Amino acid sequence: LTDPLSTMDASDGHENALSAKKSGKTSLLDSGEDFEVLDEEDIDDDLPPLEDAGGGDENVADNTGKKTAEEESEASAQMDEWLDVLGNDQLKKKVLEPGKGRASRPQKGQDVEINLKTLLMDGTLVEEQNNLSFTLGDGDVIQALDLTVQLMEMGEKALIHTDAKYAYGAWGSLEPEVPPNAQLSLEVELVKATDAPDVELMPPSDRIALAIRKRERGNVHYQRTDYVFAVNSYSIALQITESNSKVDISPEEEEELLDVKVKCLNNMAASQLKLDHYDAALKSCVSALAHQPDNIKALFRMGKVLALQGEYTEAIQTLRKALKLEPSNKTIHAELSKLVKKHSEQRGAEQAMYKKMLGNPSKSGTTKSRAKSSWGLSWKWLFGATAVAIGGVALSVVIAARN
């Protein structure tokens, strides 16, 4: 069914990519790849203690960008060989130009900026992007980039060969145009890495825009059936909407943030349903309804979750409430009809099972009645025979007495 309830609460990822290209900006939502969920790591904001340089300002050396002989030797060795990133020969990295040393590698959770050139393995150019920005480890880009950029040094240029599994997978991509199951060659230069901004200090408009981008990224994963990664993106978007604000925020902006939050909860519930995580999906629906009790999508998905958990009575009540709010919705009609029929069949099966366990009451009653009637006849016959016998004995006694 092509009812709105079966769709996501956002526009297609392809539309986002096209609009971004028209505006001259690189979209982070233009790929729906399979990628690995990476755990967040706390970033230590404290600066390391300064070492005693043994002199004044003239003797304090700036070691940024300088490498030891050992690091230079290691970099030279890396340029001559491929690094098997995952040990399965499906994601490999080779240094083309060394960077500024291990200490300059970006950390997960930081915002990074790269120059990227994407090619098919036969050398066909897919796209070229300069100053592509994304949050490392959030799944904003294909998994191949998320895994390899964190191994790059600042200023390093690297060549990455990736299997389709860590790029655009079996689906391929329309924007950029990548065939299904295509292996890719990526030329990457790490330009910059900075700490992500403090969400609590962000202007409300920027915070809303960031939450929407993360949610739309989750929609891309959902459309590509990457439900685990979709849940990850929705979770990040929820954290942004739920963060306390240390700056002034208007009631309209608060309402807009709440709307984004409810959409994230609805889409997360849909993803959790696909993963058969019924308890988690039910929790997401309950949270959405706590903010918007008449949210039809939350009611519909809650009804489906309850039905899958065998709670047919509650599921029917929930779907009837949703149908009352939108009587013309064919999807709810179909789901409710199917559920009522299934519930009726289940009740019939349960009644038959109980009758089998307890026996047939009518048959048992008939047997007892017949037995009672039989015993009644037997006792009457016996009583009559006894009376006749006693009468015969008495008559004999009387006759004998007369004689």
Side-chain angles (χ1 to χ4, degrees):
L1 295 171
T2 57
D3 190 86
L5 285 170
S6 61
T7 61
M8 305 303 292
D9 283 307
S11 59
D12 289 338
H14 301 312
E15 293 179 4
N16 294 327
L18 290 173
S19 62
K21 286 207 166 186
K22 289 178 182 177
S23 63
K25 296 180 180 178
T26 301
S27 171
L28 302 185
L29 307 173
D30 57 355
S31 60
E33 66 286 348
D34 179 12
F35 76 103
E36 180 178 344
V37 179
L38 301 173
D39 295 329
E40 295 285 340
E41 289 185 356
D42 294 331
I43 300 174
D44 187 2
D45 294 326
D46 296 329
L47 294 174
L50 295 175
E51 296 183 2
D52 186 1
D57 293 339
E58 295 180 357
N59 294 326
V60 177
D62 181 5
N63 291 323
T64 303
K66 295 184 179 181
K67 299 182 291 184
T68 64
E70 182 180 350
E71 286 179 324
E72 289 180 352
S73 175
E74 181 181 351
S76 177
Q78 287 179 345
M79 291 178 65
D80 296 332
E81 63 180 18
W82 286 93
L83 171 66
D84 190 350
V85 177
L86 299 175
N88 58 6
D89 205 37
Q90 294 181 348
L91 180 61
K92 298 184 292 183
K93 171 182 173 288
K94 183 178 182 180
V95 177
L96 299 179
E97 292 184 18
K100 298 179 180 179
R102 283 178 172 270
S104 66
R105 288 183 177 181
Q107 302 295 316
K108 286 179 287 185
Q110 285 189 311
D111 289 342
V112 297
E113 186 177 303
I114 65 171
N115 293 329
L116 174 65
K117 188 175 181 180
T118 305
L119 306 98
L120 299 179
M121 296 304 290
D122 62 4
T124 302
L125 178 65
V126 175
E127 67 174 346
E128 195 165 356
Q129 299 167 282
N130 291 324
N131 304 317
L132 171 64
S133 298
F134 60 94
T135 303
L136 192 59
D138 274 11
D140 294 337
V141 291
I142 60 174
Q143 189 179 6
L145 288 174
D146 238 346
L147 292 173
T148 55
V149 169
Q150 60 184 295
L151 301 176
M152 295 180 64
E153 301 169 359
M154 193 58 58
E156 177 185 328
K157 292 183 179 180
L159 179 62
I160 297 165
H161 285 177
T162 177
D163 187 77
K165 178 180 180 181
Y166 305 108
Y168 296 96
W171 291 80
S173 173
L174 293 176
E175 187 64 35
E177 189 174 351
V178 177
N181 297 308
Q183 296 180 346
L184 296 179
S185 176
L186 309 173
E187 296 177 12
V188 185
E189 178 186 6
L190 179 57
V191 178
K192 185 169 63 175
T194 57
D195 290 340
D198 188 342
V199 175
E200 295 182 350
L201 298 176
M202 291 178 69
S205 58
D206 292 349
R207 185 176 161 197
I208 292 168
L210 179 61
I212 290 174
R213 286 201 302 272
K214 299 297 184 182
R215 175 174 60 83
E216 288 176 343
R217 183 60 186 170
N219 292 351
V220 171
H221 290 306
Y222 183 91
Q223 291 159 5
R224 300 178 64 83
T225 69
D226 296 331
Y227 302 119
V228 172
F229 309 129
V231 169
N232 182 63
S233 293
Y234 294 139
S235 298
I236 295 171
L238 279 174
Q239 291 173 8
I240 296 169
T241 62
E242 293 172 348
S243 297
N244 295 323
S245 180
K246 294 181 179 179
V247 297
D248 293 336
I249 180 170
S250 68
E252 292 78 12
E253 290 168 331
E254 285 185 343
E255 187 65 27
E256 193 172 353
L257 267 176
L258 180 61
D259 186 60
V260 175
K261 179 180 180 179
V262 171
K263 287 180 178 179
C264 285
L265 288 167
N266 266 330
N267 292 356
M268 181 178 284
S271 301
Q272 291 162 336
L273 267 171
K274 294 290 187 180
L275 294 168
D276 296 336
H277 296 169
Y278 301 142
D279 290 338
L282 182 60
K283 185 178 178 180
S284 297
C285 292
V286 170
S287 297
L289 291 170
H291 297 293
Q292 296 179 0
D294 292 337
N295 188 286
I296 295 174
K297 288 189 176 182
L299 287 168
F300 176 75
R301 290 185 179 126
M302 185 175 180
K304 290 194 70 173
V305 173
L306 290 169
L308 290 167
Q309 291 180 324
E311 303 292 340
Y312 293 111
T313 302
E314 292 182 44
I316 291 172
Q317 291 174 352
T318 304
L319 290 176
R320 281 177 176 165
K321 182 178 179 180
L323 190 61
K324 187 177 180 180
L325 292 169
E326 194 172 316
S328 60
N329 193 297
K330 295 181 180 180
T331 303
I332 301 177
H333 267 292
E335 189 68 24
L336 183 58
S337 299
K338 181 175 70 175
L339 187 56
V340 169
K341 182 180 178 181
K342 189 172 182 179
H343 185 39
S344 177
E345 291 174 352
Q346 186 195 43
R347 290 181 62 183
E350 288 177 352
Q351 289 176 355
M353 181 182 68
Y354 292 148
K355 284 181 179 180
K356 187 175 181 180
M357 290 174 61
L358 300 174
N360 192 326
S362 59
K363 184 177 180 181
S364 176
T366 302
T367 303
K368 289 180 180 179
S369 177
R370 288 177 179 175
K372 183 176 180 181
S373 176
S374 176
W375 277 103
L377 290 173
S378 299
W379 278 107
K380 288 178 182 178
W381 181 86
L382 182 61
F383 181 77
T386 303
V388 171
I390 293 173
V393 172
L395 182 60
S396 300
V397 172
V398 170
I399 293 174
R402 286 180 179 180
N403 292 333

